[in-house]
Amino acid sequence: MLNFHLWTIWSSLCITFSLSYKWKNAEIVGGGFVPGIVFSEAEKDLVYARTDIGGLYRLNKSTKRWENLSEWVGVDNWGYAGIDTMCADPVDANRVYAAVGMYTNDWDPNNGAIISSTDRGDNWSISELPFKVGGNDPGRGMGERIAVDPNNNKILFFGARAGKGLWKSTDYAKTWSQVKSFTNVGKYAADNQYFTEAIGISFVTFDRYSGKKGSPTPNIYVGVADNSTSTVYVSKDAGVSWTAIPDQPAHYFPHKGKITEDGMLYVTYTDGCGPYDGQAGAIYRYNTKTGEWKDISPHQEPYFGYGGLAIDAQNQKTLVVATLNSWWPDAILFRSTDGGDTWSHIWEWDGYPQRKLKYEIDPSISPWIEDDMKQIPEPTTKLGWMIESLEIDPFNSDRIMWGTGATIWGSEDLTNWDSGKKFHISVMASGIEETSVQDLVSPATGDAHLLSVMGDIGGFRHTDLDKCPEINFRSPTFTTGYSIDYAENVPNFWVRVGTEPYIAISWGNGESWYSGQAPGGVTEGGIVAVGADGDVVWAPKPYDLGVFYGKESFKSSKGIPGGARICSDRVNGKIFYGYLGDTFYRSTDTGVTFSKVYTGLPEIEPGYAKNIKAVAGHEGDVWLAGNKGGLYHTEDGGETFTSIDGVEIANTIGFGKAAEGSDYPALYITGKIGNVNGIFRSDDKGKNWVRINDDDHQYGTINFCITGDPRIYGRVYVCTNGYGIVYGDIDGDSGTPVSGSGNGGSKGKDNKGKEDKDNKQNSNTSCWSEALGYPCCQGEVELVESNEDGDWGLENNEWCGIPKQSSSNESNNDGSCWSEALGYPCCQGEVEYVESNENGDWGLENNEWCGLPKTSNNRSKDNNNNEDSAACWSEAYGFPCCQGEIGYIESDEYGDWSVENNKWCGVPKARTLKSNAVKSCIGADGYPCCSQECTSYFRDESGDWSVENGDWCLIDTSIC
C-alpha cells in the first residue's frame, strides 16, 4: 500500500511514501484547441485526438469518453504534452505514433521526440530527435506531418520544422535519418518576435494505390509551408528523389493533402499557416494521372482560408471541407458528393440577417460553450473556429468529427445532409480537459467547493466536480482569468482579475459579477488578494505600475514594488503580505503602506504564480514556496522564517482540511523532495511529506497553483497547463499516509511490533533479565528469540526473560549442518522453528538465521500443520497474501507483513520467506537495534527510535 523511499537530507531524515490516490478532472469538457483527429483505418471505433498543450487522447468506444494518454509527461519533459502531429498505423491497429515537443524557440529547453506505442498508447517508447518540435507553434493544425507507409508499415516519414526537413524511419520509428534529397525545407516563419523558426513541412501523404503490400509505396506527396515557390512535391521512387509538381497553385500555404483511389489529390490552401489567421484560400484537385490542377473552391471570393479536409472512405467522391477561420457570423462546412465539382453549404443566407441551417446543434454536455450575448446573425452556439481537424469515420459514412479552438463537434447522421434532412451535431469532447488553469480557490463554506480562473475561457464555479458548469464567469467576461480570491470573514465577497476589463467583483459567492474600476494603464490582471474583511490589494500588469489597494476603485500602495506576489492574512483584515526578490513585505493598514519585514529569502521574480499563502484561522501564519530555494514558513507575520528541511523545490503552496486529530491544515505543494518531482502532502506542518501522485499521473507543468479542500481531508486541486483542473482523493482503503523526518514521524504500516532485544547485557542472577529492565517469565512461555544475554519470551504482551534453567542448549543431534553450504550456521540451541523452504527448516539464533538439524522437532504447535498455515489469513483483513519469496517487514498480532507491488501483503504462515541469498530484517517492526546511536527522534510502544546508517533503529536502553 505504501511505497517508500529513504533519503538522508542534511541532518534530518526525510522519508516519503507514495500513497494511493485517485486522480480525476473537474469537468469542463474541452476548453482548448484540438488540431488533429485520426480514425484508425485498421480497426473500427479506434480514434485518437491530439491537442497543442494537453497531450494525446484515445476514445473509449464503450463510454464515448476520451482518455488522456499523456498524463505520464512530467516536469522534466513537460514539452511532450505538445503534440505536433500523430498517425495511427493503417495496418497494425496496436501501433500509434506522435511527434512531441512544445516549442521550437527557447521556451522549451528540450529537443522533441517521436513517441511510439504498440498497445494503442497505454505505454510509449521514446526516440529523441536532434532538434525541437513545435506542438504549440504556429501551423500546428497543418498535417498530418507524420505518416506510416500503408504497404510496408515499418516505414514512416516525418516532416520537421525549423529547416530540419524530411526524415525517414525503416524500423517502426526506433531510429530516424534525414532524407537529404528533399531540399525545400520551408523558409516561412509566422512571427519575427517569438516564433522565428520556419514552420517547415506541412503534410506527408502516401498514395497507397501506387504500390503493393510488402513493398515500399512508390508515390509519396509532401506539402511545404512556403508561399514563395513550389509547395507540393512528389516522389515516385519511395522517397529516394523528389520533384515539385508542375503548374501548382502559388501564393498560398498547403494545409491538408489527401489522395483517393482514382488518383485525385485534394489540397486545402490558406494565405496563412493558422491556426488564428486565414483571410483567403482555395481548394484544389490534382489529377495524378493527367497532371491537371483544378480550382474546386466552393466560394470564389472567400474572406477565409480552408483548413480541415475529410474524404469518405466508403465513397471517395464525397468530401467535407471546413473554413479555417470564418469568425463571423460562423464557420462554414462544405460538402460535395461529386469530387468537388459542386458543393452544399452547411448554412445559407435566408434574407439578412436570417440564416437557413441544415443542422441542429446540441451543446448540452458543455453548456458554457453557448454565448447568449451573441446577436443574430451570429448564433449563440457556433460551429467553431480554427477548424483544422475534420474527419469522416472510414467505417461509417454517417460519423464525422471536427476539432475547434474550444471543443470537438460531431455528428452520427451526416448523410441526412444529402437527402435534405437536418443532421444533428453535438459536443463529442467528453473526457478532453485542455485548459490552462491560472488559479484555484476552495472556500470553507457554500455550495461550491471550487472556483477557478483559466486561459481562453475565463473561469468557472463548480458545485459538482463531475458535471460541467452551466456557464463560465460572465458579466464581465475575461478571455483569460489570472487570479481569484475571497474574504475569509465575508465569504460571499469575491474578486477576480484577468484580461480587459481587468477586474470583477461579486457579492454573491461568485455566482454573479460586476466590473470594478481598474487603475489607468493596466493591461492585464496580475494577482489579487482579498483581505479577511473584504479590502483588496491588487498587483496588475505592467509591473511598473506598482501595487494598488481599494475595492471599487484603487489607489497606489507605498513601500512595495510592482510584480510582488501578494496574499492576505486570513484572520486580520488589515494585514496583507508581499514577496519579491529576497524580501518579505507586510502591510498592517489594508495595503495603504507596506514595509520590509524580512530579507534573505530565496530570490523570486515578478509574476502571479501562487508562491505565497496565509493559513486560515492562524493570524501571521504564512508559507512561501521559493521554487528552487525550497519552502519557508513564518508564524509571526514575517519577523522570522523557518526553512523546511528536505524540500528541494517548492513551486506553489496550498492548504486543505486537517488530518484527524490535528488542528492545523494539511499542506500541499508541487515540487521536489528526495530528488523526486511530484505532488506532496504534509499533515504536520511540513515535518513529514507524502508523495500523493505517481509517475503515471504527472500532468506536465503543475507549478502555478494548488489548493486543498478545507472540507474534505486529503482532497487536493492542482492547476495544470493543458490538462485542465486535476484533483485527487485518497483512494478508498489505501491506509494512512505517514512519513518520517528528523523531528518526528512513524516508520511503518501501523507502528505495531515488539521491542528488539538484540543487545542486552549479561546477568548472573536467576532472574537475569531484571538487571536489563525486564521481568522474568512467570509461566511456561515459548521461546521467541535469543541473544547473548539469554532467551526471551512474551508474557502479557511484554518481553520477559526465560529463566536459564528453562532453556536447553543441546547441540545438533546428527552433527550434519546442511545450512552451512548456503552460508548460514546450524542452530546450536533449542530454538523455535520459524519457516521452511525447499532446503529445510529455519530458526533464529543470536539474531541470525540458522538451519534446524534435520532430526530436530522444534516446531511450535502453531506451525505443525503446514497446510493450515498456508491459508491466506490476511484476506480477512482486506489484504492479499504475498506471492513471492520476500522477507517480512513487520509483525503484529495478526501475523507477519511485507510489501509486494507497492501494496501490503500478509506473509503466509508456512510460506518460504527465505531465498538462498536474502536475509529478512529481524527486530522491532523489522528494524535492528542501534549499535551506538542514542538520539531519539520518535517513540512508540516499542520504545525510542533513532537513525543509523540512513535507516531506523531501536535505541538500545542498555547503552543509552
Side-chain angles (χ1 to χ4, degrees):
M1 297 176 60
L2 299 177
N3 177 30
F4 62 87
H5 312 275
L6 182 67
W7 303 276
T8 301
I9 301 176
W10 300 306
S11 61
S12 298
L13 179 75
C14 178
I15 302 177
T16 67
F17 297 80
S18 184
L19 176 66
S20 179
Y21 253 63
K22 183 177 182 180
W23 294 95
K24 297 176 65 177
N25 281 99
E27 287 277 311
I28 292 173
V29 185
F33 182 33
V34 182
I37 298 170
V38 171
F39 282 86
S40 171
E41 298 176 25
E43 183 177 305
K44 185 179 180 181
D45 293 329
L46 180 56
V47 195
Y48 299 93
R50 64 180 173 95
T51 69
D52 50 3
I53 63 171
L56 186 68
Y57 286 82
R58 181 184 64 216
L59 187 64
N60 184 316
K61 64 181 180 181
S62 299
T63 64
K64 294 189 176 180
R65 287 180 61 87
W66 296 91
E67 297 173 349
N68 197 306
L69 304 177
S70 301
E71 292 176 347
W72 55 271
V73 173
V75 173
D76 294 332
N77 59 355
W78 59 267
Y80 285 8
I83 315 296
D84 201 15
T85 186
M86 66 175 176
C87 62
D89 191 316
V91 179
D92 184 347
N94 290 320
R95 293 185 180 271
V96 60
Y97 305 89
V100 299
M102 195 74 74
Y103 299 107
T104 54
N105 60 22
D106 59 7
W107 295 349
D108 188 340
N110 301 317
N111 283 336
I114 304 295
I115 60 173
S116 58
S117 174
T118 58
D119 55 11
R120 305 171 187 231
D122 288 338
N123 297 281
W124 296 94
S125 296
I126 300 172
S127 299
E128 295 182 356
L129 295 169
F131 49 81
K132 294 187 177 184
V133 171
N136 200 31
D137 274 9
R140 56 192 178 273
M142 291 175 153
E144 298 292 332
R145 292 177 167 89
I146 191 170
V148 177
D149 189 328
N151 292 306
N152 185 342
N153 66 332
K154 292 182 179 180
I155 298 172
L156 293 90
F157 280 84
F158 165 59
R161 295 173 176 266
K164 304 304 181 182
L166 186 65
W167 292 69
K168 180 181 179 180
S169 173
T170 58
D171 56 6
Y172 297 107
K174 294 178 183 176
T175 60
W176 293 83
S177 59
Q178 188 173 9
V179 181
K180 295 184 178 179
S181 60
F182 192 92
T183 56
N184 185 3
V185 297
K187 299 179 180 179
Y188 176 81
D191 189 329
N192 291 325
Q193 182 178 4
Y194 299 113
F195 299 102
T196 58
E197 297 290 353
I199 291 173
I201 291 171
S202 61
F203 68 78
V204 177
T205 299
F206 286 92
D207 180 3
R208 69 164 68 223
Y209 310 105
S210 68
K212 59 182 180 181
K213 296 293 183 184
S215 299
T217 298
N219 294 356
I220 312 168
Y221 296 87
V222 172
V224 179
D226 191 335
N227 60 354
S228 62
T229 183
S230 299
T231 60
V232 182
Y233 292 78
V234 63
S235 173
K236 295 189 177 181
D237 52 15
V240 175
S241 61
W242 299 84
T243 58
I245 299 177
D247 304 321
Q248 62 183 275
H251 310 305
Y252 290 146
F253 298 100
H255 278 238
K256 307 285 179 179
K258 297 185 179 181
I259 198 164
T260 57
E261 188 172 2
D262 59 1
M264 298 298 174
L265 176 69
Y266 296 88
V267 183
T268 56
Y269 289 92
T270 299
D271 62 350
C273 289
Y276 309 110
D277 54 14
Q279 296 180 333
I283 306 171
Y284 274 82
R285 184 179 67 204
Y286 173 65
N287 189 322
T288 62
K289 297 177 181 177
T290 66
E292 176 191 10
W293 286 92
K294 183 176 181 180
D295 185 346
I296 58 171
S297 304
H299 201 301
Q300 293 305 310
E301 294 183 0
Y303 52 91
F304 46 76
Y306 294 94
L309 166 65
I311 296 175
D312 187 345
Q314 305 296 317
N315 182 353
Q316 295 191 7
K317 286 188 177 295
T318 297
L319 319 172
V320 179
V321 176
T323 56
L324 177 54
N325 282 310
S326 173
W327 296 100
W328 186 93
D330 199 0
I332 311 172
L333 271 60
F334 307 93
R335 181 172 171 88
S336 174
T337 57
D338 54 14
D341 289 336
T342 61
W343 297 89
S344 171
H345 297 210
I346 197 170
W347 60 263
E348 297 170 342
W349 290 109
D350 191 24
Y352 185 86
Q354 301 298 322
R355 295 182 305 132
K356 182 179 180 180
L357 310 182
K358 299 180 181 178
Y359 63 91
E360 294 178 353
I361 192 164
D362 175 14
S364 59
I365 72 164
S366 186
W368 60 266
I369 209 165
E370 287 189 284
D371 186 352
D372 55 12
M373 301 298 291
K374 297 293 185 184
Q375 296 182 349
I376 58 171
E378 283 192 280
T380 57
T381 303
K382 289 199 167 191
L383 294 168
W385 51 91
M386 300 159 58
I387 304 176
E388 292 268 37
S389 52
L390 177 72
E391 299 294 334
I392 296 173
D393 186 338
F395 297 94
N396 182 357
S397 298
D398 269 320
R399 189 184 191 192
I400 188 172
M401 294 184 188
W402 65 92
T404 76
T407 193
I408 294 176
W409 290 107
S411 175
E412 294 185 343
D413 58 1
L414 176 63
T415 57
N416 280 4
W417 191 341
D418 302 330
S419 61
K421 301 177 184 178
K422 286 191 175 183
F423 69 102
H424 299 85
I425 299 169
S426 61
V427 174
M428 292 188 175
S430 180
I432 290 182
E433 298 293 339
E434 200 203 345
T435 50
S436 176
V437 186
Q438 305 296 301
D439 200 5
L440 296 168
V441 175
S442 183
T445 60
D447 62 335
H449 273 255
L450 187 67
L451 284 83
S452 59
V453 289
M454 60 192 61
D456 297 333
I457 56 176
F460 293 89
R461 182 178 186 272
H462 270 89
T463 58
D464 183 346
L465 298 177
D466 293 325
K467 184 178 179 182
C468 177
E470 290 293 321
I471 60 171
N472 49 354
F473 290 142
R474 298 179 184 176
S475 302
T477 298
F478 300 154
T479 301
T480 292
Y482 291 105
S483 179
I484 186 169
D485 198 8
Y486 78 106
E488 196 75 39
N489 299 334
V490 192
N492 64 321
F493 181 70
W494 289 75
V495 179
R496 59 186 169 94
V497 295
T499 52
E500 193 174 7
Y502 309 121
I503 186 166
I505 298 169
S506 173
W507 285 95
N509 293 301
E511 291 189 73
S512 58
W513 299 85
Y514 63 92
S515 295
Q517 183 178 346
V522 171
T523 60
E524 201 172 272
I527 186 170
V528 69
V530 179
D533 298 327
D535 290 283
V536 179
V537 173
W538 184 14
K541 293 181 73 173
Y543 298 135
D544 57 13
L545 283 179
V547 175
F548 298 87
Y549 71 95
K551 187 176 291 184
E552 303 290 337
S553 59
F554 293 87
K555 297 180 180 179
S556 294
S557 299
K558 296 179 181 180
I560 186 171
R565 318 294 173 97
I566 56 174
C567 74
S568 66
D569 192 277
R570 308 310 285 185
V571 177
N572 190 326
K574 294 183 179 294
I575 298 178
F576 289 80
Y577 306 103
Y579 175 30
L580 185 65
D582 71 343
T583 303
F584 184 77
Y585 300 84
R586 184 177 66 209
S587 170
T588 58
D589 55 9
T590 67
V592 178
T593 60
F594 281 81
S595 58
K596 295 181 180 180
V597 183
Y598 193 95
T599 59
L601 294 166
E603 291 272 351
I604 197 165
E605 297 178 350
Y608 51 91
K610 310 312 177 284
N611 295 79
I612 174 173
K613 284 187 181 178
V615 179
H618 298 259
E619 183 173 342
D621 194 324
V622 185
W623 291 79
L624 303 182
N627 297 325
K628 292 183 178 180
L631 184 64
Y632 285 76
H633 181 214
T634 178
E635 295 183 276
D636 55 13
E639 297 292 335
T640 60
F641 275 91
T642 300
S643 174
I644 305 303
D645 286 354
V647 179
E648 299 158 50
I649 297 176
N651 297 310
T652 185
I653 178 76
F655 316 111
K657 184 177 180 178
E660 185 176 353
S662 174
D663 62 354
Y664 197 84
L667 308 180
Y668 297 91
I669 65 168
T670 65
K672 180 182 284 189
I673 297 177
N675 206 34
V676 176
N677 293 311
I679 305 168
F680 298 90
R681 192 188 78 228
S682 173
D683 294 336
D684 54 8
K685 288 190 176 183
K687 296 176 183 177
N688 308 291
W689 294 92
V690 54
R691 186 190 183 202
I692 57 177
N693 70 321
D694 54 40
D695 290 347
D696 292 331
H697 300 89
Q698 299 194 70
Y699 305 106
T701 302
I702 53 173
N703 61 1
F704 221 75
C705 62
I706 191 171
T707 185
D709 191 309
R711 291 176 270 182
I712 302 175
Y713 169 66
R715 176 171 290 178
V716 60
Y717 306 96
V718 183
C719 294
T720 75
N721 183 36
Y723 293 83
I725 302 170
V726 171
Y727 74 97
D729 285 312
I730 297 173
D731 189 9
D733 184 21
S734 59
T736 303
V738 292
S739 57
S741 73
N743 46 7
S746 58
K747 59 193 182 308
K749 176 174 161 287
D750 292 313
N751 298 320
K752 298 173 183 175
K754 303 298 179 283
E755 190 171 351
D756 193 358
K757 299 295 180 293
D758 292 348
N759 295 298
K760 301 292 182 290
Q761 297 176 348
N762 292 323
S763 172
N764 294 320
T765 65
S766 59
C767 188
W768 56 271
S769 58
E770 284 183 346
L772 303 175
Y774 298 91
C776 273
C777 307
Q778 300 302 309
E780 291 187 7
V781 296
E782 295 212 8
L783 175 79
V784 175
E785 62 184 63
S786 299
N787 64 7
E788 65 270 28
D789 299 311
D791 297 331
W792 296 87
L794 286 170
E795 197 168 56
N796 300 320
N797 212 29
E798 295 289 341
W799 287 103
C800 60
I802 298 176
K804 295 196 181 276
Q805 61 268 24
S806 300
S807 298
S808 172
N809 291 304
E810 294 176 3
S811 62
N812 296 341
N813 293 330
D814 63 357
S816 174
C817 188
W818 58 271
S819 58
E820 283 184 348
L822 303 174
Y824 299 92
C826 271
C827 307
Q828 299 301 310
E830 186 175 317
V831 293
E832 288 284 328
Y833 160 86
V834 176
E835 62 189 46
S836 298
N837 66 5
E838 67 272 20
N839 300 308
D841 297 334
W842 296 87
L844 287 169
E845 193 169 61
N846 299 324
N847 273 345
E848 295 289 340
W849 286 105
C850 61
L852 288 169
K854 299 287 187 182
T855 58
S856 174
N857 189 27
N858 284 342
R859 299 191 183 193
S860 71
K861 60 181 176 11
D862 293 331
N863 287 319
N864 284 336
N865 189 329
N866 287 343
E867 181 177 349
D868 292 342
S869 299
C872 189
W873 56 272
S874 58
E875 286 182 345
Y877 307 106
F879 299 94
C881 272
C882 308
Q883 300 300 310
E885 294 186 358
I886 54 178
Y888 77 89
I889 291 178
E890 65 174 69
S891 299
D892 60 16
E893 64 268 30
Y894 307 113
D896 294 334
W897 297 89
S898 191
V899 173
E900 194 169 57
N901 300 321
N902 286 341
K903 293 184 179 295
W904 284 104
C905 59
V907 177
K909 296 187 184 298
R911 170 76 60 77
T912 170
L913 295 180
K914 180 176 174 60
S915 71
N916 290 342
V918 179
K919 283 188 182 181
S920 295
C921 176
I922 59 171
D925 287 2
Y927 295 90
C929 282
C930 308
S931 62
Q932 57 186 358
E933 183 60 56
C934 294
T935 303
S936 177
Y937 293 121
F938 179 74
R939 172 174 287 182
D940 63 9
E941 67 269 26
S942 299
D944 290 312
W945 294 87
S946 189
V947 175
E948 200 167 66
N949 300 320
D951 205 350
W952 288 106
C953 62
L954 188 68
I955 292 176
D956 184 352
T957 57
S958 68
I959 62 174
C960 295

